[in-house]
Amino acid sequence: MSKIEDIVDALEHKISKILDKQAILKQTNEKLESQLKAQQQKLLEQQEEISAWVEKHDTLKIANSMLGSDENKRETKLKINALIRDIDHCIGQLSE
């Protein structure tokens, strides 16, 4: 009988160790998931900030072209032409 009791005790001890490890792994997993969500949110905010800066940069290029800078005149003309086409399209839709 003593052998069976030893085996049961050993199994209980191993199960206890496994349950402890599982609890630790669960906590670690929750912590990592929290960190992942925080990093994803930070990345999203950075992407939005980059988009805003790109838009500001493009606006400044156009403004510089309008002020007489020769560097971006072609881009400015193309942008103005695109805006005029959009306006014409909107006017066309309104008149229908």
Side-chain angles (χ1 to χ4, degrees):
M1 277 299 217
S2 147
K3 274 190 164 184
I4 294 175
E5 289 175 1
D6 291 340
I7 292 172
V8 170
D9 287 342
L11 283 174
E12 286 177 351
H13 182 67
K14 288 180 182 180
I15 290 173
S16 176
K17 279 186 174 181
I18 289 173
L19 291 175
D20 290 342
K21 285 183 181 181
Q22 181 187 18
I24 292 170
L25 288 174
K26 188 174 183 179
Q27 289 175 349
T28 304
N29 189 34
E30 289 172 357
K31 182 180 175 184
L32 289 173
E33 284 178 354
S34 173
Q35 289 176 348
L36 176 62
K37 286 180 183 178
Q39 291 298 322
Q40 287 174 335
Q41 180 64 31
K42 185 177 178 181
L43 177 62
L44 182 62
E45 290 170 2
Q46 289 175 341
Q47 288 174 338
E48 290 173 357
E49 187 177 352
I50 288 171
S51 295
W53 281 109
V54 166
E55 187 176 326
K56 287 179 183 180
H57 178 261
D58 291 341
T59 303
L60 284 174
K61 285 192 329 186
I62 291 171
N64 282 337
S65 295
M66 290 181 180
L67 292 174
S69 173
D70 289 335
E71 292 180 23
N72 301 316
K73 276 193 175 186
R74 182 176 187 281
E75 290 179 31
T76 304
K77 287 179 183 179
L78 292 173
K79 182 74 172 176
I80 290 171
N81 286 338
L83 290 172
I84 291 171
R85 280 193 301 274
D86 288 344
I87 292 170
D88 285 343
H89 180 71
C90 289
I91 291 172
Q93 286 182 337
L94 288 174
S95 65
E96 289 178 357

